[in-house]
Amino acid sequence: MDGLRKVDLNLLVVFQHLLEERNISAVARRLDLSQPAVSNALRRLRAAYGDELFVRTGQGMQPTPLAEAMGGPVSEALSLLSHLADAVQPFDPSVSQRRLRIAMTDVGEIHFMPSLMELCARHAPGVRIDSLRLAGADLQRELDAGRVDLALGAFEGLGGGVVQRMLFRQGYATLYRRGHPRAHAGMSVRAFRAERHLIVSRAAPEGQVNQALERAGLALAEQFSVPHFSAVPYIVSTTDLLATVPQKLAASAAPHFGLQWLMPPVKLAALQTNLYWHRRLQRDGANQWLRHLIIDTFADRA
């Protein structure tokens, strides 16, 4: 406790933002402070911890080993204090300035983020949502620490303390450009295999769509590939490649890129999308509000 008396909690807020931004000017803008105020906060932190903490380099303010070691505990402590403040003062989305973080994939961003941004603009103008790319042990760690509020998608391997709720199931569709000389609804498996395909090499979860395409006789090693779904509509719209993607992505992208889509003539298991959050945030006002917003907007109705 004696050590805590030496440190103003506001200094730890500056510390966390310096660790994220590595730039004094950027931190000043983010916290609406002057650059001298941020520099003074850093001087006080250095005095309190007897360490440089951040060293100016050509790549910005790089953290020392001590600062790196402090990063996790400081972030978790500030997150807990933030949630304590929310418990004392009920969450009001119309006036809140909270920044909420959601882990999702690139295809999740395409489906969820436009609607979430529009809803925030209308009902919670001060709330900001950040999308993060995390999975597996990294996602579990960030949920445990309170640095991620929610996760949206089909994430495997999440365990202790994480609650989940199914939002919807969807099949897959095969995109092709309008005017493609051979692709059409109802094409045979043989004709499907004979076409050139664009493969998403990091399709989640566990590449099940790619495994199914291989079982249908498609030689994936002979096809073109990209690591994520986001580039698919751009490429398919200017080539004769076919691309098999989640159905909601196909329906969303097709009208904007002049694409058509067909039901692939191979058996593909449905893809389930879930909402995940940590049990510690079960009663957090902001987390509850965002969960209800997502469920009301995106969940399938029984």
Side-chain angles (χ1 to χ4, degrees):
M1 296 299 290
D2 288 340
L4 287 176
R5 295 193 185 104
K6 301 177 184 177
V7 182
D8 179 343
L9 285 177
N10 290 317
L11 297 182
L12 295 182
V13 174
V14 172
F15 172 88
Q16 183 180 35
H17 287 301
L18 275 171
L19 199 59
E20 294 172 359
E21 300 285 353
R22 313 290 173 94
N23 182 284
I24 287 177
S25 299
V27 172
R29 288 193 297 272
R30 191 165 169 182
L31 296 177
D32 196 22
L33 297 172
S34 66
Q35 289 188 41
V38 175
S39 296
N40 181 57
L42 179 55
R43 281 195 296 271
R44 293 172 62 191
L45 282 164
R46 286 167 170 167
Y49 289 101
D51 187 89
E52 283 293 295
L53 295 179
F54 295 92
V55 179
R56 192 180 302 279
T57 72
Q59 288 74 46
M61 301 292 287
Q62 295 302 309
T64 66
L66 177 60
E68 293 273 15
M70 289 170 56
V74 168
S75 178
E76 184 170 1
L78 292 176
S79 176
L80 289 171
L81 288 170
S82 175
H83 296 144
L84 175 62
D86 292 336
V88 174
Q89 183 175 358
F91 179 75
D92 182 352
S94 66
V95 298
S96 175
Q97 299 293 313
R98 278 283 291 272
R99 183 175 290 272
L100 299 167
R101 296 183 172 189
I102 307 176
M104 63 180 86
T105 63
D106 63 326
V107 71
E109 289 169 347
I110 293 168
H111 182 67
F112 294 111
M113 288 298 281
S115 295
L116 288 177
M117 290 175 176
E118 174 61 25
L119 288 166
C120 283
R122 279 194 276 138
H123 304 296
V127 171
R128 294 293 177 264
I129 294 177
D130 295 333
S131 170
L132 306 172
R133 301 284 176 82
L134 292 166
D138 291 335
L139 177 55
Q140 180 77 53
R141 183 178 60 251
E142 297 301 290
L143 285 167
D144 289 344
R147 291 188 290 268
V148 167
D149 296 279
L150 298 172
L152 282 168
F155 296 104
E156 297 181 347
L158 296 180
V162 176
V163 184
Q164 72 178 55
R165 196 256 200 212
M166 191 193 80
L167 290 177
F168 53 80
R169 289 189 179 93
Q170 61 178 316
Y172 287 86
T174 299
L175 287 169
Y176 60 96
R177 70 172 180 85
R178 187 173 292 122
H180 192 290
R182 293 169 300 278
H184 58 85
M187 67 190 301
S188 67
V189 175
R190 183 176 180 180
F192 185 80
R193 282 200 305 257
E195 290 299 319
R196 296 184 306 160
H197 292 254
L198 179 63
I199 302 300
V200 180
S201 59
R202 297 182 185 174
E206 303 302 326
Q208 65 179 27
V209 61
N210 295 339
Q211 293 169 8
L213 292 174
E214 280 189 315
R215 287 195 297 270
L218 202 65
L220 299 192
E222 299 175 5
Q223 310 299 329
F224 296 95
S225 72
V226 291
H228 304 293
F229 286 106
S230 53
V232 167
Y234 295 91
I235 297 171
V236 173
S237 67
T238 57
T239 68
D240 283 341
L241 297 175
L242 307 186
T244 300
V245 303
Q247 198 167 49
K248 289 182 184 293
L249 173 61
S252 173
H256 296 290
F257 290 88
L259 302 175
Q260 294 180 291
W261 54 281
L262 57 89
M263 300 306 295
V266 298
K267 187 175 181 180
L268 296 170
L271 177 64
Q272 181 169 307
T273 296
N274 300 321
L275 173 64
Y276 306 82
W277 65 95
H278 200 281
R279 189 170 284 110
R280 286 197 300 106
L281 301 183
Q282 180 75 20
R283 297 187 180 280
D284 174 71
N287 198 280
Q288 286 183 326
W289 171 79
L290 186 55
R291 293 197 314 261
H292 292 155
L293 182 69
I294 289 170
I295 291 167
D296 290 345
T297 306
F298 300 105
D300 284 344
R301 302 302 172 194

